[in-house]
Amino acid sequence: MKEKARYALIAELILGVIFYLFLYLHPVLRHQLWVQHNEVFLLIFFSPLLVLMLLLVLWQKKPPKVNTFNRWLMIIFWPLLSLGGLIELMNVVAKAWPHMGAIVAVILLLIGLGWLIPFAIAVGAEVKWTVPRLILIFWMMENLMEICTLGHIPGNKFFNTVLSTGLWVAFAYTIWACFLAWGMGL
């Protein structure tokens, strides 16, 4: 199962790179990001970081220190980059094309619920010691709570309430934690 999760994680990393490049290259979305958060700099920084994570995951026989470096690099950055990117895409599409906001929000929030499952099985389950596991669990909780503050669809109180109250985060974290515990053999 870990091998399938690794392949799913590789697919997610490739989609993440394509997503960030698409956001940077699409003129309407790039302009909307620039107007909203001045995040073009972040796109320029995050795209090479995603490529580095992808290359390190693809590297089969890497030294243990490189494996540990990549694991913690992914633990620190992957949830914010992936789910934060989905939420930002939801915001940008909702502002650029208001009639598509609710449809895109439903699709992206449903995708986001299961998005971190391969990460939990392939990366999180590799953390063996108790203190790093606790750091991983609390860091993920912090990341998911931070992500829920990013979402805002103008004129749509339902999705804004679901995101701002943490209801979506609670579901996403519960799903992630169950698969993490399963991957760790608990």
Side-chain angles (χ1 to χ4, degrees), residues 12-13 16 23 29 32 61 67 75 101 105 111 132 145 153 155 176:
E12 286 181 0
L13 282 166
L23 273 182
L29 298 178
Q32 196 63 261
K61 298 186 188 314
N67 194 22
I75 287 170
I111 289 171
M145 287 179 171
I153 299 175
W176 176 82

Side-chain angles (χ1 to χ4, degrees), residues 6 9-14 16-17 20 45-60 62 66-82 119 123:
R6 183 177 169 275
L9 185 64
I10 290 170
E12 286 181 0
L13 282 166
I14 291 170
V17 169
Y20 275 97
F45 173 72
F46 288 148
S47 295
L49 190 61
L50 282 172
V51 171
L52 174 66
M53 285 190 275
L54 175 64
L55 292 175
L56 289 174
V57 167
L58 288 173
W59 187 5
Q60 289 289 330
K62 54 186 168 263
V66 174
N67 194 22
T68 303
F69 170 76
N70 187 42
R71 183 180 318 121
W72 284 100
L73 182 70
M74 289 191 73
I75 287 170
I76 292 169
F77 288 110
W78 178 241
L80 279 176
L81 291 179
S82 61
F119 168 78
V123 176

Side-chain angles (χ1 to χ4, degrees), residues 132-143 173 176:
R133 282 182 178 179
L134 291 173
I135 291 170
L136 166 67
I137 290 167
F138 287 117
W139 181 251
M140 282 300 296
M141 189 183 306
E142 175 63 32
N143 282 335
Y173 188 77
W176 176 82

